[in-house]
């Protein structure tokens, strides 16, 4: 098991995202049903539900940007799966 450490920059970015979420309140889909966004592989059918819930979220873009930049390898963030985020990072590097 690999243990990840957070950089000070990542901690600051997380705090900004958390503050934005606090401003929106408990109506965020990820706060209403957090398990939906971190389903196991055997619960793959929840992925589509989580992505659809993200479509309505006002924090979809900053959430996805955070997850892409800081290599969140688990869960649905901003409507993206871990595989989608990995492809987006590769695409950015190849430009």
């Amino acid at each position: 098991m690999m243990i990840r450490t957070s950089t000070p920059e990542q901690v600051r970015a997380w705090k900004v995202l958390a503050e934005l979420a606090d401003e929106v309140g408990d109506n965020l889909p990820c706060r209403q049903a957090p398990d939906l966004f971190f389903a196991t592989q055997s619960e793959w059918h929840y992925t589509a539900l989580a992505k659809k819930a993200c479509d309505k979220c006002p924090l979809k873009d900053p959430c996805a940007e955070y997850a892409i930049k800081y290599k969140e390898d688990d869960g649905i963030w901003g409507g993206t799966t871990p595989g989608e985020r990995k492809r987006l990072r590769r695409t950015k590097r190849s430009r």
Side-chain angles (χ1 to χ4, degrees):
M1 180 168 132
M2 187 172 100
I3 298 175
R4 265 185 25 193
T5 57
S6 299
T7 65
E9 177 190 4
Q10 182 177 3
V11 171
R12 283 191 299 276
W14 174 253
K15 286 180 180 179
V16 168
L17 189 58
E19 287 172 7
L20 289 171
D22 287 343
E23 288 175 18
V24 175
D26 291 334
N27 291 332
L28 293 172
C30 57
R31 287 192 173 174
Q32 291 179 351
D35 292 347
L36 180 69
F37 295 85
F38 292 92
T40 65
Q41 282 195 313
S42 65
E43 300 171 320
W44 60 269
H45 53 281
Y46 288 127
T47 299
L49 294 173
K51 290 179 74 160
K52 187 172 183 174
C54 287
D55 284 343
K56 301 172 190 164
C57 181
L59 300 182
K60 179 181 179 179
D61 291 340
C63 182
E65 290 167 10
Y66 172 88
I68 292 165
K69 183 172 183 175
Y70 296 107
K71 299 179 182 174
E72 288 292 344
D73 292 330
D74 295 307
I76 304 299
W77 289 72
T80 62
T81 65
E84 290 168 339
R85 292 191 297 274
K86 189 179 277 189
R87 282 190 294 280
L88 288 166
R89 282 192 293 272
R90 273 196 304 251
T91 301
K92 282 185 176 185
R93 278 190 302 231
S94 67
R95 289 183 186 176

